[in-house]
Every structure is written in structure tokens, then in C-alpha cells.
Amino acid sequence: MRTSPSAMIAPSRHSLSSAFTAVLLLAGIAASSQAASAEKPPRIETRATTVTVLSFNLWHDKGDWPRRRAMIVAEIARLKPDVIALQEVLQREGLRNQAEDLAAALGYRAQFVSVDPPAAARRYGNAILTRKRAETRQMRKLEPLDDYRTAVHARLRPGSPGTRIDVYATHLHNDRTGGAVRARQVSSLLNFIDATAQGAYVIVAGDFNSEADSPELQTLAARYRDAYGAAHPEASGDIAAHTTLNPAYLPAQRIDHVFYDPVGFELVDARIVLNRSRDGIWPSDHFGLLVTLRTRPRIVGLRASPN
């Protein structure tokens, strides 16, 4: 039997349908790939950025506050830290909020947090001062709530595209026998960090009322590095030479710390500051701790700036 040429090459309806489906499928895959590429933010390598952090317990309004204030303002103006973590910040009738007062005198922006009601005449708490506007500002009341402790968070954009630094400041329970309470507060603080930090550029500063290697700070020290201890490994053997408590008022002890994530930062320097008296007046019953860190370059996705 002889078959006509047209019968040999004519496609069936089934073949046409399958080919059309395949074309549509390929077109859909290509469109999805293009859309995904368009939605995916560009990735860049961040530049190394240096950030200097000062942690300082103000001792609220004890002693001669006007003279102490003048010393503190002069020294911070000389040191020029990028971020300041303050503890024992007070405002009351006749006394302007100390964080806001220092920020105004130095050209910083103040973020004060307290468990006291915003309308209360007397408020006591912690603060973060920054040279530039913080992208995010948050606070957390730390467990147990009946100890009235807080943590304050500020996210900074230091200038390098894609770099965001999460800074946390706190002041833990002060009773020397209260290690269990401080351990709960550290757990609460870490939960706060986990819920808010956006990467490895994390700094935690404050008055921890405990040595950096104490049992109650173990979970914090397992994730973050003690800047002063890393810069001065001999510190634990000579507490008198490395105390952050002012021996004029308190027994020598290193309880003020700046912790940092070593994945995101490398340590440049850590030193004790605000540790000199003038005419018998000290800046505080604590010394200040000044830490300089440098971000490690990372590959990140760029995001749109918030409105």
C-alpha cells in the first residue's frame, strides 16, 4: 500500500497539544527565573568600618554632679566615641534627664529606657547615645520583672553600604550573691538579641555586676567575646590594675564589659578611661570602658532604606 507524502508528515492533534504545552512550560520557567532575579537584591561586599563604643556607669546624681558632669563632657568630647552605653541614668524634679543632657552637650542622639512610667517625674534607667540617627530603637524589660532591669537596642548604619550594627546596653542585678538572677537576665537579654539582631555585627555593653568569666555570664560569653579580656589577657591576674570599679569608693573588680561577635568584628583596642580625679572629684564610682572594633567585610544583599 502506498502512503501519500502528506499523510507521512501531518502531525496529530496530540503532538500539537504536547508541543504547545512544552512551549508554555518553558516560557513560564523563564519568566519565573527572570522575576526571581529581578526581586533578588544585589549582593555586595561590605567595607571594613571602625566603631568605637564607650560603656559608662554615671552613678546617677551622687556626689557633686555639676562638677562631675563637666569632667564627663570634656573627656567624652576628647574621646569621640561613636556609641555610648550609659547606666544609672536619672531624671527627677530639678534634674534634666542625664542622658538627654549629655547628648545635647556633646551633639549626640539619646535613647533612654526605664521601667518607670513616661509621665513620672522621677525616672531611672539605661541609655544609648549615638552620633547618627539610629535606624531602629527598642527596649526589653528583663526577666525577672520584679528586679526592674532593662536592655536597650539601637541599630546603626555606619556608612558602609549593607552594614548594620546592632548595639545593646544593659545593667544587671547588683547583689553579689544574685548570680541566679543575673543568669535569668542574661537569658532574657539573649532572647531579645535573637529576636532583633540582623546578623553578626552585634555589640553588648554595660554594667554586668559580675566578672566576664563568671558562671552567670557563661551563656553570653559562649557567643560573644569579652573585648577587654581579649585585649588584656593578663587582666584576671591583676584586678587592681584593670578594675572598672573606682577604688576610691568600691573594692577593685572588673564588672563593666563590652562583648562583641567575633564573626562580625575584629578587636582593635580596649582600655579604661574616665579614671582620673580632679581636685578630689571623680567622674563616677565606676571607670569607663572604651572599645574600638573593626567590622569584617561580608557579602550581603542590599535592601531598600526605610522610609
Side-chain angles (χ1 to χ4, degrees):
M1 181 177 179
R2 188 175 180 181
T3 305
S4 68
S6 60
M8 295 176 62
I9 63 173
S12 66
R13 290 183 179 179
H14 177 72
S15 299
L16 287 172
S17 176
S18 298
F20 184 65
T21 301
V23 170
L24 288 178
L25 181 61
L26 290 172
I29 292 173
S32 298
S33 178
Q34 290 175 356
S37 298
E39 292 174 0
K40 189 176 182 180
R43 297 180 69 78
I44 63 166
E45 183 177 32
T46 61
R47 297 193 307 270
T49 301
T50 300
V51 58
T52 304
V53 182
L54 169 66
S55 184
F56 187 52
N57 184 314
L58 276 182
W59 199 29
H60 43 92
D61 62 343
K62 285 288 188 70
D64 190 337
W65 168 243
R67 292 179 66 185
R68 293 200 300 111
R69 176 190 179 279
M71 295 172 68
I72 293 167
V73 168
E75 185 64 358
I76 293 178
R78 186 184 70 83
L79 295 172
K80 296 180 174 61
D82 299 300
V83 186
I84 306 170
L86 295 177
Q87 306 87 48
E88 295 194 15
V89 178
L90 178 66
Q91 72 175 53
R92 58 167 172 74
E93 195 71 35
L95 178 70
R96 183 183 181 184
N97 183 288
Q98 291 173 302
E100 295 173 358
D101 177 39
L102 292 176
L106 291 161
Y108 286 71
R109 299 170 185 266
Q111 178 184 357
F112 171 74
V113 301
S114 173
V115 297
D116 299 317
R122 185 187 187 281
R123 302 186 73 204
Y124 180 82
N126 303 310
I128 289 179
L129 274 56
T130 58
R131 285 188 172 278
K132 298 180 179 179
R133 181 180 66 87
E135 180 179 290
T136 298
R137 293 182 170 195
Q138 296 170 305
M139 75 160 288
R140 173 72 61 90
K141 296 178 182 179
L142 300 181
E143 299 283 350
L145 298 180
D146 60 1
D147 197 46
Y148 309 107
R149 301 287 173 164
T150 64
V152 53
H153 168 224
R155 180 173 302 124
L156 310 177
R157 300 179 66 185
S160 175
T163 302
R164 286 170 170 81
I165 298 176
D166 289 291
V167 181
Y168 299 84
T170 193
H171 184 190
L172 301 187
H173 181 70
N174 65 314
D175 193 299
R176 288 185 63 86
T177 62
V181 176
R182 284 189 288 275
R184 285 188 64 188
Q185 290 168 346
V186 167
S187 178
S188 185
L189 172 63
L190 290 174
N191 288 338
F192 182 37
I193 294 172
D194 289 340
T196 54
Q198 290 194 342
Y201 296 133
V202 174
I203 299 169
V204 188
D207 176 355
F208 293 83
N209 274 307
S210 188
E211 292 85 356
D213 60 353
S214 65
E216 54 261 43
L217 300 190
Q218 185 175 8
T219 54
L220 182 68
R223 288 171 51 171
Y224 304 113
R225 189 163 296 167
D226 164 28
Y228 192 86
H232 304 274
E234 76 285 359
S236 60
D238 189 357
I239 297 300
H242 300 278
T243 179
T244 61
L245 290 181
N246 186 342
Y249 301 100
L250 299 162
Q253 192 179 11
R254 190 169 70 87
I255 64 173
D256 301 271
H257 310 295
V258 173
F259 290 92
Y260 67 96
D261 191 332
V263 174
F265 293 100
E266 60 178 325
L267 177 64
V268 177
D269 185 42
R271 57 194 174 99
I272 305 296
V273 296
L274 289 156
N275 57 343
R276 297 180 183 277
S277 66
R278 183 186 304 157
D279 300 325
I281 302 295
W282 293 87
S284 174
D285 64 339
H286 286 237
F287 297 148
L289 175 59
L290 187 72
V291 172
T292 302
L293 302 167
R294 183 182 297 115
T295 61
R296 299 183 188 275
R298 304 174 64 213
I299 302 298
V300 299
L302 285 179
R303 296 176 300 165
S305 300
N307 293 329

